[in-house]
Amino acid sequence: MSAYPHAAATTTAAATAVPSATTTGSEAGDPCCAAPLPVLGRDVTVPLVTGGEVTYAALDYAASAPALQRVWDDVAAYAPYYGSVHRGAGYLSQLSTDLFESSRVTVAEFLDCRPGDQVVFTRSTTDSLNLLAAALPAGCEVFVFETEHHASLLPWRDARVTYLNAPRTPAQAVETLERGLADRDPYGPALVCVTGASNVTGELWPVRELAAAAHAHGARIVLDAAQLAPHHPVSVQELDVDWVAFSGHKLYAPFGSGVLAGRADWLQEADPYLAGGGASKKVARRTDGGVDVEWHTTAARHEAGSPNVIGVYSIASACKALTEAGFDSLVAREQHLIATVREGLAEVPEVRVLSLFGDEAPRVGVLSFVVEGWNSSHFAAALSAEYGIGVRDGLFCAHPLVRTLLGSDPQTQGECGAPEAAPGEKSLNAIRVSFGAGTPDEHVERFVRAVKELVRDGAQWKYRTEDGRCVPDRG
């Protein structure tokens, strides 16, 4: 039985009233025909400093994936029916409320949640983990690897935190966690926070084994699935995690929404994340002049204010599109793209791909690397300006991990400095390429060709540092 009976009962009405897109795959003549799921921007052209234009190759999915065309079409179909959620008696408000709650059901099904789990809509993965941090029981100990993205490394300021050293194998990750948990107070609450796939290396973490270790020591575990959910199925029940967090903008859904899904008890017992309308069930003045508040015990407890119904609906639409496309085929094709990139980079001796677990570790479509003799900011700027390829350079909001991976390897300062480097500090930035279900073969093939040409021939243009970024010198 659904944990959201009201939503389940109204899903049909909402779906009938609001038209939805049916495009789930490639279309004949589509310039992105090799990609299983068309995305917005697939036909955008950008100018090159060397002259002419080229179709933009978006290879920065790990930061924000392009919106699926299916998602955009679904949102456009709903837009005329937009109304206030949980507030109005009018038809559009009722329909929008039904759509909002049916989206909650869709996300719960996408994550294979347990009966009784709550799906709370937030702004992002960062917001979701900060919400959970605010809901921790008193005295809770938190265990987190230094390899985490800042979204899961930093929210635990009010808890006792143990930062675990970067492991070099999946087995070592489990052993490191078990040693840390063995020394904790066995009677107090504890939480483990771990990523599903690294936003730096793309490597998959042994989530099921880490969850088993956590539970064996009386701790709970939250999965940061920001980089995992767009690439692989995530089952709360199979992985046996207590919570999972992810962002819509990495799941091909725009508009700034996120999800925290999992066990209800800590969330129900905590004060509302935000105090305000929607979170409150009943408010009354007291005779002494104060106010008594009865808070909701459902997900609404942590969803104060008017919700982002369009953002929530876009997440649900993306979940449906990925499910209908089939993760088996999506994963298989992504592995083909990963092999193309890895084999191409392996042919360039000056390139070093960053890895914790080794070359054979399974991964999603995220790879970071450095190029001998190049500052990474300079290299990334040349990829953009001379080839129309968008990648990311820097420390990727995972500073401890990237510094561990780069260690003391020297990098030539070159034309441009790293935006994160302090005065006098050695440049320790890297380049990240990332892709997914909307990426055509041509984009990764162009990327590999561009890397080889830049290393062999150098940049065709001069570059300079401007406001901390490496940019073409047009002076």
Side-chain angles (χ1 to χ4, degrees):
M1 180 178 178
S2 169
Y4 311 100
H6 169 69
T10 56
T11 300
T12 302
T16 302
V18 180
S20 64
T22 57
T23 302
T24 58
S26 304
E27 300 169 349
D30 193 311
C32 194
C33 61
L37 291 174
V39 295
L40 293 181
R42 60 190 180 274
D43 53 356
V44 168
T45 59
V46 294
L48 303 179
V49 293
T50 51
E53 293 186 341
V54 67
T55 302
Y56 183 64
L59 297 179
D60 192 17
Y61 276 46
S64 283
L68 289 178
Q69 184 68 56
R70 154 76 176 271
V71 170
W72 193 258
D73 291 345
D74 278 351
V75 168
Y78 161 65
Y81 300 88
Y82 173 82
S84 61
V85 177
H86 298 149
R87 300 293 193 275
Y91 180 81
L92 297 191
S93 291
Q94 295 278 310
L95 187 145
S96 294
T97 297
D98 291 347
L99 199 68
F100 184 82
E101 293 301 335
S102 68
S103 295
R104 205 186 300 275
V105 175
T106 297
V107 172
E109 293 172 347
F110 180 75
L111 296 174
D112 189 26
C113 288
R114 297 166 291 255
D117 280 351
Q118 286 188 347
V119 172
V120 181
F121 290 118
T122 65
R123 295 179 298 174
S124 59
T125 306
T126 302
D127 196 35
S128 295
L129 293 171
N130 274 271
L131 189 165
L132 184 60
L136 295 180
C140 187
E141 295 182 71
V142 175
F143 296 82
V144 56
F145 287 92
E146 66 174 348
T147 48
E148 292 293 312
H149 185 282
H150 295 171
S152 47
L153 186 72
L154 302 180
W156 322 104
R157 295 184 298 274
D158 297 328
R160 290 182 290 165
V161 185
T162 297
Y163 295 103
L164 305 171
N165 292 333
R168 287 299 181 169
T169 66
Q172 190 180 84
V174 178
E175 294 167 2
T176 300
L177 177 60
E178 288 180 330
R179 285 197 303 269
L181 291 170
D183 294 334
R184 81 174 190 89
D185 176 2
Y187 301 104
L191 177 72
V192 175
C193 180
V194 67
T195 189
S198 171
N199 77 303
V200 176
T201 68
E203 292 164 316
L204 298 176
W205 278 61
V207 177
R208 186 182 290 104
E209 293 81 359
L210 291 167
H215 294 152
H217 288 83
R220 296 191 180 189
I221 186 168
V222 57
L223 169 64
D224 175 351
Q227 300 296 340
L228 184 63
H231 303 275
H232 279 267
V234 175
S235 169
V236 168
Q237 297 194 68
E238 288 186 12
L239 295 174
D240 197 22
V241 294
D242 297 282
W243 293 276
V244 60
F246 70 87
S247 295
H249 72 100
K250 298 186 192 297
L251 195 79
Y252 311 100
F255 308 112
S257 282
V259 168
L260 176 67
R263 301 198 182 278
D265 53 352
W266 284 9
L267 300 177
Q268 290 175 345
E269 294 162 7
D271 289 337
Y273 184 46
L274 297 173
S280 55
K281 186 176 182 180
K282 184 186 300 182
V283 180
R285 288 292 303 273
R286 296 197 304 263
T287 56
D288 63 3
V291 174
D292 285 325
V293 183
E294 180 183 348
W295 303 105
H296 280 293
T297 57
T298 63
R301 185 183 188 88
H302 298 291
E303 294 176 345
S306 295
N308 180 2
V309 60
I310 288 181
V312 165
Y313 182 42
S314 71
I315 288 180
S317 173
C319 290
K320 289 180 180 179
L322 290 168
T323 300
E324 291 168 6
F327 270 109
D328 287 346
S329 61
L330 294 177
V331 170
R333 183 176 180 278
E334 185 173 295
Q335 292 306 307
H336 160 71
L337 297 180
I338 293 171
T340 299
V341 172
R342 289 182 60 81
E343 290 168 7
L345 294 182
E347 295 173 358
V348 186
E350 293 85 351
V351 170
R352 179 168 74 90
V353 175
L354 305 183
S355 175
L356 270 176
F357 299 154
D359 290 342
E360 301 306 315
R363 68 182 68 221
V364 299
V366 179
L367 296 95
S368 296
F369 63 98
V370 291
V371 183
E372 182 181 346
W374 283 81
N375 176 273
S376 294
S377 295
H378 185 196
F379 200 90
L383 285 173
S384 174
E386 301 178 25
Y387 295 91
I389 298 170
V391 297
R392 182 154 295 229
D393 66 276
L395 299 176
F396 318 126
C397 291
H399 294 188
L401 171 57
V402 178
R403 292 182 184 280
T404 294
L405 294 172
L406 293 179
S408 58
D409 287 0
Q411 290 194 64
T412 302
Q413 192 71 4
E415 297 279 349
C416 299
E420 290 87 357
E425 182 185 51
K426 178 180 55 186
S427 172
L428 282 176
N429 57 332
I431 306 153
R432 183 180 69 190
V433 57
S434 53
F435 39 85
T439 304
D441 288 15
E442 189 277 329
H443 287 188
V444 297
E445 291 165 358
R446 191 197 321 170
F447 165 77
V448 170
R449 184 173 67 253
V451 170
K452 292 179 178 179
E453 290 180 1
L454 284 172
V455 172
R456 184 188 67 223
D457 304 328
Q460 300 180 53
W461 207 262
K462 289 187 177 181
Y463 296 81
R464 60 186 174 85
T465 301
E466 181 179 290
D467 296 328
R469 295 298 310 167
C470 191
V471 297
D473 188 348
R474 303 178 187 274

